[in-house]
Amino acid sequence: MENAALAPQDIEPADLAHLERAIALAQAARDRGDHPFGAVLVTAEGVVVEAMNTVNTGHNPIGHAETNLVYDSGQQLEVAQLAGSTLFTSTEPCAMCTGAIYWAGIPRVVFALSEADLGAMVTEQSGVPTLALPSREVLAHGGRVVEVVGPVALPAATEVHLEFWD
Ligand SMILES: [Zn+2]
């Protein structure tokens, strides 16, 4: 069952700003030749770490924005900082990235476009299905609670994928 999309005004303005930044990073990733995904991690103290997809430019099949962000955040931050952080991402984390978020101890995720909506666009355009497993479903099997907020109805989150997956 898919959650209904939240309106942008239904989330905190600070959360919305970070989400819009994640979408801007997705566009930047696309512009440089990577898949259109971006993500931002923000700690309780306001430390910000950003990452983009690097599947093409990094020749890394698992170089998703969130996996890259979890890795970079782990290198730069303390475990306690991760435990108080929120990860914002332009599109709902895939099953692999959701696993990475879980293992990092990140307690909160906010995403714009849903995996289901992405999956519909990708399959229609390329014929190749996504890994159709909602992040909430992955996290429901975990031993710690991870709050998931989304989808958030931001047109830019859809637009960044348009005509990319042909
Ligand atoms: Zn992923």
Side-chain angles (χ1 to χ4, degrees):
M1 191 180 74
E2 191 173 357
N3 288 57
L6 298 163
Q9 63 268 25
D10 290 340
I11 66 172
E12 293 294 325
D15 284 356
L16 183 59
H18 294 308
L19 203 49
E20 288 173 335
R21 175 61 184 158
I23 296 166
L25 288 165
Q27 183 63 55
R30 178 174 178 159
D31 291 346
R32 73 177 186 188
D34 281 306
H35 296 174
F37 299 97
V40 177
L41 183 124
V42 184
T43 70
E45 315 87 59
V47 178
V48 176
V49 183
E50 300 182 341
M52 292 185 264
N53 180 285
T54 56
V55 165
N56 290 333
T57 60
H59 299 277
N60 180 6
I62 61 170
H64 291 191
E66 304 94 325
T67 301
N68 289 338
L69 183 58
V70 166
Y71 183 83
D72 290 347
S73 298
Q75 296 289 302
Q76 296 174 30
L77 303 173
E78 301 299 328
V79 171
Q81 289 177 292
L82 291 173
S85 66
T86 297
L87 186 146
F88 300 87
T89 181
S90 57
T91 299
E92 181 174 5
C94 74
M96 174 183 76
C97 291
T98 302
I101 291 164
Y102 177 80
W103 290 120
I106 295 165
R108 185 167 180 262
V109 176
V110 182
F111 68 87
L113 187 70
S114 74
E115 199 290 326
D117 285 347
L118 172 70
M121 295 175 74
V122 172
T123 306
E124 185 178 315
Q125 292 178 41
S126 71
V128 179
T130 59
L131 194 50
L133 184 54
S135 55
R136 286 183 178 88
E137 196 170 324
V138 175
L139 293 166
H141 296 272
R144 68 168 79 94
V145 175
V146 180
E147 180 189 1
V148 179
V149 178
V152 180
L154 292 170
T158 301
E159 287 160 8
V160 75
H161 289 283
L162 290 179
E163 297 176 355
F164 179 83
W165 302 101
D166 293 349

